[in-house]
Structure formats: C-alpha cells, structure tokens
Amino acid sequence: MRSILIRFALFSCACFASVNVWAATPMNVLIIQTDEHNFRTLGCYRDTLDEDQALVWGKDAIVETPAIDSIASRGVICTSFYATSPVCTPSRASFFSGRFPHNTGSPQNDLPLNNDVVTFAEVLRREGYATGYAGKWHLDGPGKPQWAPERQFGFADNRFMFNRGHWKKFLIDVDGPKVASTNRKGEPSYDLKGADETTFSTDWLTNRAIEFIREHSDKPFCFHLSLPDPHGPNSVRHPYDSMYRDTAIRPPMTFAMSKENPKWATGKGKNATVKFNAAQMSLYFGMVKCIDDNVARLLATLDELDLTERSIVVFTSDHGDLCYEHGRLNKGNPYEGSAKIPMIIAAPGLIPSSSRVDQALGTVDFAPTLLTLLGKPVPAEVEGRDASRLLMEGDAKSWDDVTFLRAAQAKANWVAAVSDRFKLVVSVSDVPWLFDLQSDPDELVNAFGNPDHREVVEALSVALVEYGGQSNDPSLRAGPLKTKLEALLPN
C-alpha cells in the first residue's frame, strides 16, 4: 500500500495549468460546520444507507433536511469522511490547517493552535479574499466564551467568533456580542429562556453570516459559520422544542452493548452508564431541523444576490454523536457514529451535481482539497491529501483508500486506519479490532482473526506504520502502541 501522506510544496501558477480554467473568476466559499452531529439525521446520508442503518431510531424517527440535501444534489456527498481525531479541538485543528492534530499544538481539547499554523483562511486572506467567522472556534485555549480571539488565523472579521461553549442565546449591545443568558452569579449560562428567531444561537449566528455575505457580495469571500448545535445541552427554541415530541423514537439496535465490546469503547464517568431518553433525542432532532431551516436562509441569500453559481458551499461537522449507539452518547472513539461526519460540497462548474464519493477521507484532507479547487497555493507544511480530482472526476484509480484516526491525546492510546470497507483499531488497552463495515455495519464483530482478512490487516498495519513515521506521531515512535502495531506487520 502506498504512503497516504502527500506533502505539498507551495504551488506556482504553472502548477495549476491543468486546472486553472476556473481561477480567472474566484469562487466564494461558505462553510457551514455543526458540532457533534450524527450523519444519520440528514436525509441525503440516509439515502446512501440500507434501511436498517438509515432508521436506527425507528422508521418514523427521522428529520427532513431539504436544504442540506439540496447542497448534496448540487454537488458531492462523501460517504466515508472521518474526523481525524473525533473530539472538537483536534478535529478542528486538522480541518483548518491540513495537519495532523499532534503537529498543530492542539491534539486534545482546549489546547491552543501553534502560532505558526497557516490555515486555508490565511491563504485566502493573502490572496485578496474577504474572510470572516461566526460561532464556536475552540482553538485558542481554555477561554470561555472569549469573543474575538486576538489570534485570527486568517479570519479578518472574527468579531462574532467565540472560543468555547454551547450557548443558546446571544445579543449585541454597545460593547459588542455577548451571551444573553446568565446564572444567579451573573455569569454566562446555557439557558435559552426567551430565545426566539433573532436571539437563538443558530438563528443569531446565521444572521451574522448573512450580513457578511451581503456586505462582501461584490468581492471574493470566505465565511465560516460554526454552529454550536446539535451538541448538548439538548435544548432548542420553540417550535423546534416540541416538533418531534410525539415521534416514536426507540434505542438503536446496538444500544445493548455486546459482552465483547472493545475496551476502548467503555464509557467513563457520566458516560459509563447511559439510559435511553427519547425526549432528549426529540430535542436533538429539533436542533437539526432548526439548522436546516437556517441553511435554507443562507442558500436563499446566495440566490438573491446571484452568488449561487459563483460559490462553493460546504456542509460538515467537527465530529459525530453516537446518540445511544453502542450504549453511548457523544464521541471520542472510532465507532462510525462518533468519527464519521457529514461532508457535502457544492462547487458549480467544478464538481458534478449528484456526485458520490465513497473513498475514505479525513478532516486533515479538507484544507488542501479546498485550496486546490480554488486554484490557490497549498502551504508546504500541509500533511493532508488533495482530493480535488477525486471529487471533480471521481477518479479513484490513484487514490489510496485509507485515512487515519487517533485518540484525542498528545500521545494517543489508540490509532485507526479506515477505508471505505474496513476499520483497523490498534489500542494499548485491548487486542486489535477489525471491523468489516460491509458485512457488519453495526460494528459488533471483531473480524481480526478471520483468515480471509489477513492481507487487509497487514496492509492497514503497514499504512499505520507509514503514517506514524511520516507524520512523526509520538504514539507510534515508542511504547506499547508501537509494539502492538509492529506485531501485526507481515513477516
């Protein structure tokens, strides 16, 4: 298996001779990123799945998402896109930088990005784009909410960027933006009492995005809208709070965990024992519906300003939410519900409509792919892969179908190699696990000992070793994880 990592030198104009036909008219970029979003809540992803996988909470327990689905119908849906590290900070670090988390300064939550990181936004700012950001950032350390971090990383207008938190109500006063709900001590709180279509977080942040688009509609722009929902706490304004209250919602089939469940999947603390709560899921669905309605407003704004055909629109998330799959909530492990995320890209004139890419991709691949689509230089430090040809032409012949995941730690206690079909997880706390996502989409059976898959295990092990060496992952330089992985290599 060839090396997965492709480092990019700074591109000259000549490098883009074959793809520069669109560079004369710069494309705008609008990125909509949600937080802790289970891909099965989106209609366009359910359409890619068998019924038992699409309807894990019951045949009627679905959210209709026509606006988000329309982005997929105008572009490409990536069915095997993964958070390079399925926790907020490290996943976002990779997304914006194109580097693996341990090379960004942010391999786990609340650690700030290194000063030398060049994001795709910084590249576009240098190229003359108007750049802006609204919503959760989570890449400047422990500050909370910490509006408008001093280090902008290319987002010139970051007035409405806040570092941390999942606030539900905002306002703007003479001092600028602020959380509109407070506790008895006068501190910002997650309460949403009185939130409406102008103050609720999803609506308020979308309004900031619309204002930016209108202000900069006459020049190339890149705006990132980072919505803190549907991350918990599961609460949403009226009428979304009651929209799914009477929906029959059941636990996923995998809720009752197998006795052979991997040790890396065992919950700790408040996640050690989880009771299924249909009311909480109905509110999660409500948050997703509110997001879709606001995506519709954004798309309508692009249409109104005649920007639709000149704008790349991306819908994605930072990581998933198990939503009771495998008896768990939230994220942090390599199960599909935790690590697999939406990635939908509409790029008129570049990516054919109604396209589907099944090959494995990760958040680390986003920055080089976006910049190449735009015909812009890719920083030499980028470690992710340029998937632009894969998205534009569907040419998988030269694509190594594997991406890498790691635990959200400086020295990870598990790493994984994932293809469209197979997932190999090597952990310090357990035997290796191999999931065959084709025959076992619920990820219940360890196929590691299946002799039919021995070559798969060897190939993915070799790929992990190559990844560890080329990315200088401290988890694989020395120690038990390195020892366990080397034992899997072919003789």
Side-chain angles (χ1 to χ4, degrees), residues 274-289:
V274 177
K275 294 182 179 180
F276 180 72
N277 189 322
Q280 285 292 298
M281 279 305 302
S282 74
L283 292 169
Y284 188 92
F285 288 172
M287 289 190 285
V288 173
K289 185 60 178 175

Side-chain angles (χ1 to χ4, degrees), residues 340-363:
K340 179 175 168 177
I341 59 175
M343 177 53 72
I344 308 163
I345 307 173
L350 302 179
I351 297 174
S353 61
S354 300
S355 299
R356 171 173 167 169
V357 166
D358 294 326
Q359 285 70 29
L361 294 156
T363 47

Side-chain angles (χ1 to χ4, degrees), residues 212-430:
F212 182 95
I213 292 169
R214 290 189 182 282
E215 181 180 353
H216 299 284
S217 61
D218 61 343
K219 67 184 80 170
F221 65 79
C222 172
F223 193 85
H224 192 100
L225 174 61
S226 177
L227 300 173
D229 280 354
H231 191 293
N234 289 9
S235 58
V236 63
R237 72 168 173 87
H238 181 76
Y240 302 98
D241 56 348
S242 59
M243 202 171 281
Y244 299 93
R245 183 181 296 165
D246 297 326
T247 301
I249 306 174
R250 61 166 174 77
M253 186 272 288
T254 62
F255 179 70
M257 298 174 73
S258 167
K259 291 181 180 180
E260 297 182 4
N261 195 66
K263 293 179 181 178
W264 44 257
T266 303
K268 296 179 180 179
K270 65 180 181 180
N271 285 327
T273 302
V274 177
K275 294 182 179 180
F276 180 72
N277 189 322
Q280 285 292 298
M281 279 305 302
S282 74
L283 292 169
Y284 188 92
F285 288 172
M287 289 190 285
V288 173
K289 185 60 178 175
C290 184
I291 289 168
D292 189 72
D293 286 349
N294 277 277
V295 170
R297 293 203 297 133
L298 285 164
L299 299 180
T301 300
L302 294 178
D303 276 344
E304 176 194 338
L305 298 173
D306 292 327
L307 297 176
T308 298
E309 295 304 310
R310 293 193 290 119
S311 300
I312 294 176
V313 179
V314 178
F315 185 90
T316 189
S317 188
D318 56 356
H319 54 76
D321 187 329
L322 284 158
C323 291
Y324 299 101
E325 294 177 65
H326 299 278
R328 291 288 304 277
L329 291 170
N330 305 329
K331 68 283 185 180
N333 62 54
Y335 278 137
E336 292 287 274
S338 164
K340 179 175 168 177
I341 59 175
M343 177 53 72
I344 308 163
I345 307 173
L350 302 179
I351 297 174
S353 61
S354 300
S355 299
R356 171 173 167 169
V357 166
D358 294 326
Q359 285 70 29
L361 294 156
T363 47
V364 72
D365 301 322
F366 179 77
T369 300
L370 175 67
L371 290 173
T372 305
L373 283 171
L374 293 168
K376 303 303 179 183
V378 179
E381 297 81 10
V382 161
E383 299 171 290
R385 300 169 294 168
D386 169 19
S388 59
R389 288 292 183 196
L390 184 65
L391 301 184
M392 291 189 295
E393 302 173 5
D395 180 11
K397 294 179 181 178
S398 59
W399 188 257
D400 275 327
D401 184 24
V402 63
T403 192
F404 303 103
L405 283 60
R406 72 189 308 276
Q409 299 162 314
K411 194 168 185 179
N413 59 16
W414 62 260
V415 292
V418 187
S419 71
D420 176 43
R421 177 175 175 180
F422 293 101
K423 182 185 298 180
L424 176 66
V425 184
V426 183
S427 165
V428 299
S429 62
D430 205 348

Side-chain angles (χ1 to χ4, degrees), residues 4-54:
I4 296 302
L5 303 175
I6 302 176
R7 294 180 179 269
F8 294 90
L10 288 171
F11 285 80
S12 65
C13 293
C15 293
F16 286 96
S18 62
V19 295
N20 202 38
V21 292
W22 59 84
T25 305
M27 298 282 282
N28 304 308
V29 180
L30 172 62
I31 301 169
I32 306 157
Q33 184 177 45
T34 57
D35 194 338
E36 202 163 282
H37 198 157
N38 189 295
F39 64 91
R40 289 185 176 90
T41 61
L42 303 179
C44 53
Y45 274 90
R46 289 194 300 274
D47 289 343
T48 69
L49 302 169
D50 293 337
E51 183 174 304
D52 60 338
Q53 290 299 306

